[in-house]
Amino acid sequence: MGNSPKMETQKTAIAFSCSLLVAVWLIVHFSTLSWFYTAFRSASSMEQLAMFGVGVVLGGAIGVSFYRKPEKISLIPTISILPIAVIIVSLLGAIVLKLLGNIEQITVLLFLLGSYGILGLFIDRDRWKKGLPLAAIVACIIPLSPPLGSGFGGLPLRVLTAHWVEQFLSVGQISAISSHDIIILENGIAEVDLPCSGIKSIWVGTLFFLGLTWIDKRVMNWRWLLLGSVNIILLFSANLLRVLLLVIVADVFKQPNFATLLHLPLGLFGFILVCGITWSLSRFLPRSTPFKPLSIPSQTPLKRGEIVHQGKHSVFIQKGMLGTAIALAIVYHFLPIQSPQLIEAIALPESVDTALIELTSAEQRFFTSYPETIAEKHHFNFGDLSGSLLVVANTSWRSYHPPELCFIGNGLKVDRVEKKQLSTDIIARWLSLQNGQLSATYWLQSKGQTTDDFYRRLWQQFFTANDRSWILVSILFDRNINSNNSLLQEFTTEIYNSIDGGALT
């Protein structure tokens, strides 16, 4: 029995709307595809080959699957609530990211998940649901893989790990202070490098959880989301505990060789333990059951594109969700990226006698890798104060480097680091160098505020809509200076006021 003219009109409208959604989806994500292509080209040959191999295997598996059952796919779209919900969630996430400041890897992840949601409009619903965990695995493998995602996830996790290790050490009455991704103790500095960030263990552990979901056919509901969150928290906590133990062994008990031996075993033990806990808890998740198609009174098989009247409210919800997805895609396309304008110049006070100094080769290599960054080094004289002044202006947390490591890289020994209020407006780090022969200080400055903590800088990048233009001021004096020196307070205040009223205006 054929469809009525009204149903034919509805089918045409649905097909047009879905086609419009596909077209808008590809247009609004053109920049995302361009970034991924550029990132893929910049990867090593082995990494490109591995990613290409994964694509071939997945594409081949999908092709063989639908070749055996071609009735499972159709060019005629069908509205289904769950795929459209995935599309809407991915678009909402992309909009939030655009408001906070674009993070390319997460944008690619959301694009891949949303693209799988669009695929759900054209394939069998039961098969689509079964492939959702696999799609999530692929979405994590590609943009968050170490070759493409370490710069995104590695540094924030290192900063966060260093900050929390500092808090735990302070509870144990161990004097320590974190700066960027390093932990400064009384008699040494511990650096939280990329292997210690935990990004790889979190990445592999998440893939383990998604693979477990797919193999065991677990239902992806709110309990599944809760367990996935617990899995990530446990992986991060295990790595945090590992770094804490390594810092205690190497820098508190002065056993660096023993800490080196423990580095890999502790990481493997924590990872295996968390995966075991996740596997045990996953057994409480319900297993999925095969989808049972709706029965039709005439016993005529339902064709792709036909509309089953499940009630006016159900049809209204489906059409409303489809319209919402199209509207969100358009909003995402025209929404401007909420990032501050690039800082074009760094203003220094006329009262300070300055002369531009050429950056070292290491500094040039580091800063030129971030085009949005301006870095200048000056020699200064202010009264009887003299030394070098490094000013780094940027809008990204990626292009900072802890000044302590710069001093060490230039052959200087860091004796002590402490937090100081240099003036009414300036909260800074104060350093003693070369057995008390030299002094140094630095702070991070945004409009109307300063901080000595890279953790706060990172927090505002992700969770504050404004004040993402920051300038790092690092000063190395030619001699030992008392931090309460009145001339020092006048000098740092002059620098602060000039930058606040100039580059950050």
Side-chain angles (χ1 to χ4, degrees):
M1 184 175 64
N3 290 330
S4 66
K6 182 178 180 181
M7 293 188 66
E8 289 293 339
T9 302
Q10 290 183 352
K11 285 172 57 178
T12 303
I14 289 173
F16 174 77
S17 300
C18 292
S19 301
L20 178 62
L21 176 60
V22 173
V24 172
W25 180 264
L26 293 176
I27 291 173
V28 302
H29 285 95
F30 178 77
S31 60
T32 301
L33 293 171
S34 299
W35 175 87
F36 177 72
Y37 174 72
T38 303
F40 177 80
R41 289 190 61 184
S42 63
S44 66
S45 299
M46 289 299 297
E47 292 166 348
Q48 290 178 351
L49 184 61
M51 296 176 69
F52 180 76
V54 170
V56 169
V57 171
L58 290 174
I62 294 173
V64 170
S65 176
F66 287 114
Y67 176 77
R68 292 176 177 174
K69 296 182 178 181
E71 72 277 3
K72 298 294 185 178
I73 188 170
S74 173
L75 295 177
I76 302 175
T78 299
I79 297 181
S80 185
I81 290 181
L82 185 55
I84 298 179
V86 171
I87 298 170
I88 290 176
V89 170
S90 66
L91 285 169
L92 288 174
I95 289 173
V96 171
L97 280 176
K98 208 169 186 180
L99 289 172
L100 295 178
N102 195 29
I103 302 174
E104 295 86 355
Q105 291 87 348
I106 300 298
T107 303
V108 171
L109 187 154
L110 293 171
F111 166 73
L112 293 174
L113 285 178
S115 297
Y116 187 75
I118 288 180
L119 184 63
L121 303 176
F122 298 90
I123 66 175
D124 177 74
R125 178 165 37 172
D126 190 30
R127 176 153 298 194
W128 183 88
K129 290 177 64 177
K130 289 180 179 178
L132 185 57
L134 179 60
I137 293 174
V138 174
C140 290
I141 285 177
I142 295 176
L144 299 184
S145 59
L148 301 181
S150 59
F152 149 69
L155 180 58
L157 285 178
R158 285 153 57 188
V159 174
L160 187 62
T161 299
H163 179 79
W164 282 20
V165 168
E166 173 200 348
Q167 304 303 314
F168 284 119
L169 290 174
S170 64
V171 172
Q173 304 300 314
I174 299 174
S175 178
I177 188 168
S178 65
S179 172
H180 201 267
D181 57 350
I182 64 176
I183 305 161
I184 305 151
L185 296 97
E186 290 184 353
N187 298 311
I189 290 180
E191 184 176 3
V192 183
D193 55 9
L194 183 58
C196 284
S197 67
I199 185 66
K200 288 186 178 180
S201 62
I202 291 177
W203 180 65
V204 177
T206 302
L207 295 182
F208 168 80
F209 174 66
L210 293 172
L212 190 65
T213 302
W214 183 43
I215 294 172
D216 286 350
K217 300 179 181 179
R218 301 294 177 179
V219 175
M220 301 176 70
N221 53 18
W222 68 269
R223 285 189 291 179
W224 178 86
L225 289 174
L226 179 62
L227 181 56
S229 302
V230 170
N231 178 61
I232 293 176
I233 293 172
L234 288 176
L235 288 167
F236 175 77
S237 301
N239 183 71
L240 180 66
L241 180 60
R242 176 180 67 138
V243 174
L244 177 62
L245 292 175
L246 291 176
V247 169
I248 292 175
V249 172
D251 296 279
V252 178
F253 294 139
K254 303 301 177 183
Q255 299 294 327
N257 293 331
F258 186 50
T260 302
L261 292 175
L262 289 176
H263 195 285
L264 184 59
L266 279 178
L268 287 175
F269 175 76
F271 178 78
I272 294 173
L273 179 62
V274 171
C275 287
I277 294 174
T278 300
W279 175 77
S280 300
L281 294 176
S282 70
R283 301 177 67 181
F284 294 98
L285 297 176
R287 294 181 184 272
S288 60
T289 55
F291 171 73
K292 296 181 179 180
L294 294 171
S295 59
I296 309 298
S298 61
Q299 303 299 320
T300 303
L302 179 65
K303 298 179 181 179
R304 297 287 301 173
E306 289 188 330
I307 299 174
V308 179
H309 286 284
Q310 303 170 6
K312 292 183 178 180
H313 295 295
S314 178
V315 174
F316 177 77
I317 291 173
Q318 292 176 352
K319 292 182 179 179
M321 291 180 68
L322 182 59
T324 300
I326 296 173
L328 287 175
I330 296 174
V331 169
Y332 171 72
H333 180 65
F334 288 102
L335 186 70
I337 298 177
Q338 298 298 314
S339 59
Q341 295 181 351
L342 295 181
I343 301 169
E344 297 181 355
I346 299 173
L348 293 178
E350 296 181 358
S351 58
V352 180
D353 182 20
T354 61
L356 200 62
I357 305 174
E358 186 177 357
L359 296 172
T360 65
S361 57
E363 291 168 340
Q364 290 178 4
R365 285 194 303 270
F366 179 78
F367 292 124
T368 53
S369 60
Y370 300 96
E372 75 276 13
T373 299
I374 300 175
E376 294 181 0
K377 183 184 284 188
H378 301 261
H379 184 274
F380 71 88
N381 288 283
F382 186 82
D384 65 348
L385 299 179
S386 62
S388 61
L389 170 67
L390 175 65
V391 186
V392 182
N394 62 28
T395 58
S396 172
W397 47 266
R398 294 180 174 94
S399 53
Y400 283 131
H401 194 59
E404 292 88 350
L405 293 185
C406 293
F407 295 143
I408 294 173
N410 289 323
L412 300 177
K413 177 179 176 292
V414 177
D415 306 322
R416 187 177 67 258
V417 181
E418 54 188 328
K419 185 174 184 176
K420 286 288 184 181
Q421 183 91 34
L422 296 183
S423 68
T424 305
D425 299 310
I426 304 174
I427 300 174
R429 289 287 168 93
W430 187 258
L431 296 84
S432 174
L433 308 171
Q434 292 295 91
N435 298 317
Q437 298 179 23
L438 302 175
S439 296
T441 187
Y442 69 85
W443 68 85
L444 292 157
Q445 181 173 342
S446 184
K447 185 62 180 177
Q449 62 178 321
T450 63
T451 182
D452 66 318
D453 193 352
F454 286 95
Y455 175 75
R456 179 182 173 189
R457 164 73 178 91
L458 184 65
W459 177 269
Q460 291 205 349
Q461 175 75 29
F462 291 116
F463 299 104
T464 305
N466 300 315
D467 297 327
R468 283 198 296 271
S469 293
W470 286 81
I471 289 181
L472 169 66
V473 181
S474 178
I475 304 171
L476 174 62
F477 297 97
D478 290 339
R479 59 184 176 87
N480 182 35
I481 303 293
N482 190 318
S483 60
N484 296 320
N485 186 304
S486 59
L487 187 61
L488 170 69
Q489 295 180 4
E490 182 182 350
F491 169 65
T492 53
T493 300
E494 289 273 355
I495 298 294
Y496 168 82
N497 289 337
S498 178
I499 292 175
D500 191 68
L504 294 174
T505 300

